[in-house]
């Protein structure tokens, strides 16, 4: 019933039990401008291969769930302007009606579970938006982490969000939040936030072991690995704070809501930082891809995928 199409490279990896890393496509269609979006997607895939795993970028194209995209499909998706942004609520509807859509963190986790993939790399997860006490805008990504068994490697939650509330919700939902190699949680474009991480791990092997144990204990959901951006690529949070404030005020004045909030804010921050936010975003995604590949390799060695 579910129309899934595996790219040849991914089908081969599944058959041979090789490590695979899932990748999302909303970051391509709604998170970065063309052509940097396509270039980044290709570099991320190459980085995963260089580190011993096979990339599987997810997207729904004309009703078919693709696990792994060809270079042409990636290019087409990166150029398209009217692609839907799919989360848990709308992925099945999109497939039922033959639609085309990019997968967010939540939808990519769902696709990864269907494909038997346990590790996923992205930029930053969605979370609790600032002002959520009046808008109720909380990303479905958080619920997904609580129920779908995929380890998500991100530079934490995006700094446009209310980070404190985001991590409180993750704690309530019982999602393991593990900072990689440092005591504080990262803040997407910046190495560190002022929040202490609930958990810290320093090796991909420990992260893989924790994922497998979590499952063996019958606990639902995945883990969030909060991997800090490399220091030389970061934008200090003091530099970003007023820019984020300005972008948020503009979103408010323009009544931007629901699925449009995150793409609008990322786009404005790109303009206001004259491209620096994009350079940082690219650096952190590549850094996450490398760690995710290492974790996938470790999971394979532990006899799981
Ligand atoms: N990471 C990035 N850029 C992005 C995203 C992640 O570096 O654009 C996307 C992911 O797909 C994530 C989505 O699921 O932003 C969150 O959207 P929302 O806040 O509407 O749930
Ligand atoms: Mn939202």
């Amino acid at each position: 019933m579910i129309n899934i199409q595996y790219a040849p490279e991914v089908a081969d990896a599944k058959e041979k039990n090789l490590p695979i890393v899932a990748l999302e496509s909303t970051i391509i269609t709604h998170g970065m401008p063309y052509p940097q979006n396509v270039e980044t997607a290709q570099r991320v895939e190459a980085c995963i291969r260089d580190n011993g795993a096979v990339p599987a970028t997810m997207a729904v194209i004309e009703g078919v769930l693709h696990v792994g995209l060809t270079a042409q499909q990636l290019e087409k998706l990166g150029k398209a302007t009217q692609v839907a942004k799919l989360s848990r609520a709308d992925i099945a509807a999109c497939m039922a009606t033959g639609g085309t859509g990019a997968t967010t963190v939540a939808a990519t986790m769902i696709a990864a579970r269907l494909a038997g993939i346990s590790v996923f790399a992205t930029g930053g997860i969605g979370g609790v938006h600032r002002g959520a006490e009046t808008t109720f805008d909380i990303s479905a990504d958080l619920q997904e982490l609580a129920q779908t068994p995929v380890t998500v490697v991100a530079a934490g939650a995006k700094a446009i969000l209310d980070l404190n509330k985001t991590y409180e919700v993750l704690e309530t939902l019982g999602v393991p939040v593990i900072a990689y190699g440092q005591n504080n949680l990262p803040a997407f474009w910046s190495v560190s936030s002022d929040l202490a991480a609930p958990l810290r791990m320093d090796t991909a092997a420990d992260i893989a072991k924790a994922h497998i144990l979590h499952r063996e204990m019958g606990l639902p959901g995945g883990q969030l690995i909060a991997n800090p951006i490399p220091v030389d690529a970061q934008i200090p949070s003091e530099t970003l704070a007023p820019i984020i404030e300005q972008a948020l005020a503009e979103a408010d004045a323009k009544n931007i809501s629901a699925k449009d909030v995150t793409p609008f804010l990322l786009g404005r921050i790109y303009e206001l930082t004259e491209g620096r936010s994009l350079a940082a975003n690219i650096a952190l995604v590549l850094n996450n891809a490398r760690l995710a590949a290492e974790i996938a390799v470790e999971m394979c060695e532990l006899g799981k995928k």
Side-chain angles (χ1 to χ4, degrees), residues 51-171:
N51 287 280
V54 170
T57 304
M58 310 291 188
V60 176
I61 302 175
E62 293 171 3
V64 179
L65 175 58
H66 285 260
V67 178
L69 300 179
T70 63
Q72 296 90 303
Q73 286 169 330
L74 252 183
E75 176 78 23
K76 202 170 163 198
L77 210 57
K79 273 188 178 161
T81 48
Q82 296 294 325
V83 179
K85 175 179 164 188
L86 303 177
S87 188
R88 163 173 281 256
D90 34 30
I91 186 166
C94 179
M95 292 179 68
T97 54
T100 293
T103 54
T104 57
V105 168
T108 305
M109 291 178 74
I110 292 167
R113 176 178 52 73
L114 289 169
I117 302 170
S118 301
V119 187
F120 160 28
T122 184
I125 62 160
V128 181
H129 282 266
R130 300 188 198 183
E133 56 275 29
T134 51
T135 63
F136 276 45
D137 189 349
I138 302 177
S139 177
D141 293 352
L142 302 183
Q143 288 277 7
E144 207 58 54
L145 279 160
Q147 45 188 315
T148 301
V150 175
T151 284
V152 179
V153 183
K158 286 189 272 287
I160 52 174
L161 301 165
D162 186 322
L163 292 185
N164 206 4
K165 289 192 180 74
T166 298
Y167 290 111
E168 286 292 349
V169 169
L170 285 169
E171 184 185 2

Side-chain angles (χ1 to χ4, degrees), residues 31-64:
M32 293 185 185
Y34 180 83
Q36 290 97 331
N37 59 352
V38 175
E39 279 163 29
T40 304
Q42 283 160 348
R43 286 176 68 195
V44 168
E45 290 199 349
C47 172
I48 286 169
R49 292 190 192 98
D50 289 348
N51 287 280
V54 170
T57 304
M58 310 291 188
V60 176
I61 302 175
E62 293 171 3
V64 179

Side-chain angles (χ1 to χ4, degrees), residues 8 53 81 97-98 121 128 136 170 175 185 209 211 220 231 246 250 252 304:
T81 48
T97 54
V128 181
F136 276 45
L170 285 169
V175 176
L185 288 163
K209 260 189 252 168
H211 175 104
V231 186
Q246 185 182 335
E250 289 178 16
D252 207 35
K304 309 266 163 115

